[in-house]
Amino acid sequence: MKRHIFLTRRPETLPTWSAAFPGASLLPYPAAGSQIAKAGEAVIWLHVTGDKPDPGLLVQEVALAAPGCSIVVLSNVPSDDEGLAVLEAGAVGYTNTLAVPEVLRQVSAVVENGGLWVGPALLQRLIAGMATRSAQINNSHLNKLSVREKEVALAVAGGASNKEIARRLEISERTVKAHLTAAFERLGVRDRLQLSLLINGAPQPSQTPPKTVH
């Protein structure tokens, strides 16, 4: 079982943090060149308060001090822009500082299994951004799908929600979910983010498809 380390300027852990991980360690932000944990042995919970101009830079500093460890950012004032910045810097999770213990444990389970934890709105922005940057569609994957499954998969890869897809294709949301589930199975992916990565030709973040928040 991995260790849990909270990096924060607070003098003590929040009750919700202690309730989620009773044996967790509390450390101040690392000094340059310091080591927080050995490679891959811990989940690092990085508390950001909004008063540091570049949280992404802080994530990079922590990654150097804890190589291979999963970094989850706990934000006092979560925003999609901040979330994108820390994920691009190498964090694998982003959630509210005041998340309840049950949610923190869920986050831990996801990231320890190679997954990515983000909220629904941020997930949509990630998917839409990949679609915008993608110059070509990988047709070899799409050829495995039926006509309707392909339409749904392409819409998801473009950042559309189930409701938007249902309206566009004039089908029910339940039917959209059914086609999406079938597409997941045919393509060997677990979720919308992995589907978008595959279709847009982006490299897979891990060999095991990560789980994301929907």
Side-chain angles (χ1 to χ4, degrees):
M1 181 178 296
K2 291 190 176 183
R3 297 167 54 203
H4 291 271
I5 301 173
F6 287 88
L7 296 182
T8 179
R9 292 193 181 97
R10 291 180 52 83
E12 58 186 18
T13 59
L14 289 176
T16 49
W17 300 353
S18 299
F21 311 109
S25 302
L26 183 72
L27 295 175
Y29 290 144
S34 64
Q35 184 179 45
I36 299 171
K38 296 179 181 178
E41 72 170 4
V43 176
I44 309 297
W45 300 85
L46 176 59
H47 178 211
V48 298
T49 59
D51 58 353
K52 187 174 179 63
D54 189 353
L57 181 59
L58 183 56
V59 169
Q60 293 174 352
E61 292 172 354
V62 172
L64 290 174
C69 292
S70 300
I71 301 173
V72 179
V73 173
L74 298 168
S75 177
N76 280 10
V77 189
S79 70
D80 286 353
D81 287 340
E82 183 180 70
L84 286 171
V86 299
L87 291 172
E88 289 177 356
V92 294
Y94 181 71
T95 191
N96 197 303
T97 298
L98 301 178
V100 299
E102 291 78 10
V103 170
L104 295 178
R105 286 191 287 265
Q106 285 182 341
V107 175
S108 176
V110 168
V111 301
E112 285 190 55
N113 283 286
L116 177 72
W117 184 280
V118 296
L122 184 52
L123 176 62
Q124 288 299 108
R125 284 191 61 177
L126 285 169
I127 291 174
M130 286 186 297
T132 300
R133 290 192 298 268
S134 178
Q136 296 180 339
I137 295 297
N138 193 335
N139 289 317
S140 64
H141 297 299
L142 295 177
N143 289 338
K144 299 176 183 178
L145 306 179
S146 70
V147 173
R148 193 58 111 183
E149 289 165 1
K150 184 184 298 186
E151 290 175 334
V152 171
L154 285 171
V156 167
S161 67
N162 286 358
K163 182 177 292 187
E164 291 169 337
I165 297 170
R167 187 183 309 116
R168 185 184 307 172
L169 300 181
E170 298 183 343
I171 57 179
S172 68
E173 286 189 57
R174 178 177 295 182
T175 302
V176 171
K177 290 179 181 179
H179 287 312
L180 197 51
T181 299
F184 288 167
E185 292 176 353
R186 291 180 190 275
L187 298 177
V189 299
R190 185 181 294 180
D191 54 39
R192 304 171 80 91
L193 180 57
Q194 283 293 298
L195 178 67
S196 297
L197 286 169
L198 189 67
I199 291 178
N200 289 320
Q204 299 294 302
S206 66
Q207 292 183 347
T208 301
K211 180 179 179 181
T212 51
V213 181
H214 294 276

